[in-house]
Amino acid sequence: MADPKKLFIKTYGCQMNVYDSERMAEAMGAQGYVQTEVLEEADMVLLNTCHIREKASEKLYSDLGRLKPLKAERPGLKVGVAGCVAQAEGEEILKRMPLVDIVVGPQSYHRLPAMVRAEGRVVDTDFPAEDKFEHLPARKALRGPTAFLTVQEGCDKFCAFCVVPYTRGAEVSRPAERLLREARDLVDRGVREITLLGQNVNAYHAGGWTLARLIRELAGIEGLDRIRYTTSHPNDMAEDLIAAHAEVPQLMPYLHLPVQSGSDRILKAMNRKHTADHYLRLVERIRAARPDILLTSDFIVGFPGETEADFEATMALVRQVGYGAAFSFKYSARPGTPAAEKAPVAAEVADERLQALQALITAQQQAAQAAMVGQEVAVLYEKTGRRPGQMVGKSQHLMAVHVEDAAGRIGDLVRARVSASAPNSLAAVRIPD
Ligand code: 5AD
Ligand code: SF4
C-alpha cells in the first residue's frame, strides 16, 4: 500500500477554530490523510485563519509567503485556506496568492474533501442550508480528557467593531439531540470535561432547548464530570442559566463574560445594548448564585471616540468586578464594520491605555491565584509534568496546576492542596483519596 498522504494544519484564533480544525482533520482522515506536525513532509497544508483583528489576518499572508519555497520545490503540494479570512476575502486570496489551491469558508468544511479531489483552484464561501457537522465524519481524534463541542455558531449582535456576524453569519444552534449524541460519544472515549462553544453560546436555542437545559441534560451523562461554555454575551445571561450555576455541580465555577468597556458612552457606540451598571448588577446576581465563580472578560481600548474619562470608567469597572483573568486588545479597524468609518484614537494613546489596563488585569490575576494558596482545588490531569512525579491539569477555575503526584495518570480528576502561585500557574500537592 502507498504511504498515506500527510496533512499539516495550522490553527489561528479562537477555540472554535481549534474544534473546526479537528473536524477537518477527521474529514480528510476519511480520505486517507494522516496529520503531521512536520511542515516539510506535508502533501497538503491547511491554514485555519482568524479575521478578528488586523494582526491576525495579516499573519495569514506572511505565513503563505513563507510557504512559497516549499511549493516551488513540490508543485503537487495542496495549499488550503479555511476560517474567517477565507470567508471574508474569498476569491481575493487566490488573486493575491497564486500558491493557494483551496479557499473554504467555515460553513463549507464538509465539502473540503471534494474540493481537494477537484482539479484546479476552488473557492467555497457559501452559507449552505445543510448542517456541515451532519456531513462530517464522527469524532475520532481526541486529545485527552477534555474536548470542545460547538453548539452554536454565528452572531446577530453586530457590535460595531466586530467581523464575526459577517464571517460566521447569523446565529444557528445545533439540535440538542445531536449534541447529546456527540457528547455521549466523547465520554465513551474517555472525555471527562466538555466545553460548549459558540460565538454567542448563551444565546443557544433550538426547539425549546436553552443552554441551561442542555447543560442540565449533559450533567446526566455518567462520566462527564465537568461542563464549561464560552463565549457569552451579557444580554443573553438568562435566569435559568444563572440558576444552573447554583444547581448543577458539573458546571464549573468559571464564566467568560466579555464587557468590552466600562463607559456607557462607548458601550452605546459599540452597539453593545447594555450599560456598565447592567453588567455590574448581572455580575452580582451570578455571584449570588455561585459565590466561588471566577469571572473573565474581553476589553477593547482605543475604540473610536474613547476619551480619558471613558478609559477611566473601564479601569473602574475592572476594579469593581475583580477578574480572575482577562484579554485586552487595542481596537483594530476591520473593513466593512460600522466603527471602521470613524476617526481612530492616536496609536500612542491606545498603547498607553492598553498597558495600564493589562497591568491592572495582571495584578488581579496574580491576586486571584495567590488567594488559592492553601486552598483545595480539583484538578483534571491533561498531561505529565516536566519532572517525573508531576502532573499538569486545570482547576475548576481553569487555572493551570502542577501537582506533585507520583501515581497520577492523564484523565484522573483529583483533589490537591495549592502550595504556591507562579505567574501563570499554581503548584499543588495531591490529597490522597
Ligand atoms: N478590534 C479589537 N478587538 C476586537 N475584538 C473583536 N473585534 C475587535 C476589533 N475590531 C475582541 C473583542 C472580542 C474578542 C474575541 O476580540 O474583545 O470579545
Ligand atoms: Fe462580535 Fe459582538 Fe457578536 Fe461577540 S457579540 S461575536 S463581539 S458582534
Side-chain angles (χ1 to χ4, degrees):
M1 213 173 82
D3 278 347
K5 291 200 168 184
K6 296 205 170 79
L7 170 65
F8 178 93
I9 302 188
K10 179 166 177 180
T11 306
Y12 312 65
C14 66
Q15 291 151 327
M16 195 170 290
N17 269 8
V18 174
Y19 177 83
D20 285 343
S21 288
E22 286 174 9
R23 301 295 305 255
M24 284 191 279
E26 289 158 13
M28 294 310 297
Q31 308 291 315
Y33 279 78
V34 296
Q35 240 179 305
T36 174
E37 306 288 320
V38 185
L39 176 63
E40 289 69 26
E41 67 177 30
D43 299 286
M44 176 173 171
V45 175
L46 188 59
L47 304 174
N48 192 7
T49 60
C50 172
H51 196 53
I52 198 96
R53 285 169 290 275
E54 192 178 355
K55 257 199 199 139
S57 275
E58 282 307 312
K59 189 102 191 38
L60 166 68
Y61 289 104
S62 61
D63 282 351
L64 283 174
R66 265 185 276 144
L67 280 177
K68 275 182 196 161
L70 195 62
K71 179 97 172 186
E73 214 176 276
R74 300 169 56 191
L77 177 73
K78 286 257 184 204
V79 176
V81 177
C84 290
V85 181
Q87 188 63 42
E89 299 187 1
E91 266 325 307
E92 273 307 304
I93 299 174
L94 292 190
K95 284 195 199 130
R96 191 165 157 190
M97 287 288 169
L99 84 169
V100 175
D101 304 288
I102 294 164
V103 176
V104 60
Q107 299 313 323
S108 305
Y109 291 157
H110 52 300
R111 296 177 180 168
L112 181 63
M115 294 172 82
V116 173
R117 284 192 302 269
E119 293 289 319
R121 307 171 78 202
V122 280
V123 179
D124 190 337
T125 52
D126 284 354
F127 283 98
E130 75 259 24
D131 177 356
K132 68 179 166 195
F133 294 114
E134 277 306 286
H135 296 268
L136 285 167
R139 305 300 324 271
K140 195 172 58 206
L142 296 180
R143 284 171 198 278
T146 64
F148 292 133
L149 175 55
T150 292
V151 304
Q152 178 277 336
E153 273 190 275
C155 181
D156 298 339
K157 296 279 189 289
F158 291 92
C159 295
F161 50 81
C162 187
V163 288
V164 166
Y166 311 97
T167 57
R168 291 273 171 169
E171 280 175 12
V172 178
S173 296
R174 297 177 63 197
E177 307 75 57
R178 286 186 203 158
L179 297 171
L180 291 165
R181 205 193 313 139
E182 192 171 326
R184 282 189 206 102
D185 180 56
L186 288 169
V187 172
D188 284 346
R189 283 175 238 200
V191 167
R192 301 186 74 173
E193 172 179 312
I194 291 181
T195 301
L196 307 175
L197 297 181
Q199 265 96 28
N200 248 322
V201 72
N202 57 344
Y204 177 85
H205 58 95
W209 287 74
T210 60
L211 186 66
R213 185 172 166 206
L214 182 64
I215 287 169
R216 285 180 194 271
E217 198 67 27
L218 286 167
I221 298 177
E222 185 73 32
L224 181 56
D225 299 304
R226 291 178 154 193
I227 302 167
R228 305 179 188 276
Y229 60 93
T230 199
T231 288
S232 296
H233 192 287
N235 292 356
D236 290 315
M237 219 47 225
E239 212 47 62
D240 66 341
L241 187 55
I242 297 176
H245 275 284
E247 293 159 15
V248 180
Q250 292 90 337
L251 184 56
M252 290 294 101
Y254 175 94
L255 178 62
H256 183 59
L257 194 63
V259 64
Q260 314 296 352
S261 168
S263 153
D264 287 345
R265 223 175 54 81
I266 294 299
L267 287 169
K268 194 162 189 338
M270 285 176 164
N271 193 32
R272 291 288 293 180
K273 301 198 175 82
H274 63 77
T275 62
D277 189 53
H278 169 257
Y279 182 84
L280 291 168
R281 278 186 285 122
L282 176 61
V283 164
E284 264 174 36
R285 279 163 51 221
I286 296 165
R287 283 193 167 142
R290 184 76 207 226
D292 64 336
I293 201 161
L294 185 127
L295 294 172
T296 66
S297 179
D298 294 339
F299 294 94
I300 296 177
V301 300
F303 185 80
E306 186 187 69
T307 63
E308 206 49 41
D310 293 320
F311 176 65
E312 275 312 316
T314 298
M315 294 291 275
L317 179 139
V318 174
R319 285 192 199 98
Q320 204 167 333
V321 173
Y323 288 102
F327 296 104
S328 46
F329 310 101
K330 219 170 17 160
Y331 169 73
S332 165
R334 306 307 293 127
T337 60
E341 309 291 315
K342 301 205 187 141
V345 166
E348 318 81 72
V349 173
D351 278 329
E352 243 171 61
R353 290 178 188 167
L354 186 66
Q355 276 182 27
L357 179 57
Q358 285 184 340
L360 176 59
I361 289 167
T362 303
Q364 290 194 342
Q365 184 189 335
Q366 295 309 313
Q369 286 187 198
M372 297 310 294
V373 175
Q375 306 275 328
E376 183 182 317
V377 288
V379 185
L380 177 59
Y381 291 156
E382 292 176 21
K383 54 186 182 192
T384 52
R386 248 180 262 145
R387 282 189 292 104
Q390 193 184 58
M391 300 298 295
V392 184
K394 298 275 166 46
S395 75
Q396 66 274 26
H397 293 134
L398 208 62
M399 290 176 183
V401 190
H402 297 253
V403 184
E404 298 306 316
D405 180 357
R409 283 180 322 190
I410 291 169
D412 288 350
L413 179 58
V414 306
R415 295 184 307 135
R417 174 105 28 223
V418 179
S419 54
S421 168
N424 286 309
S425 65
L426 300 173
V429 180
R430 167 120 186 226
I431 298 171
D433 293 325

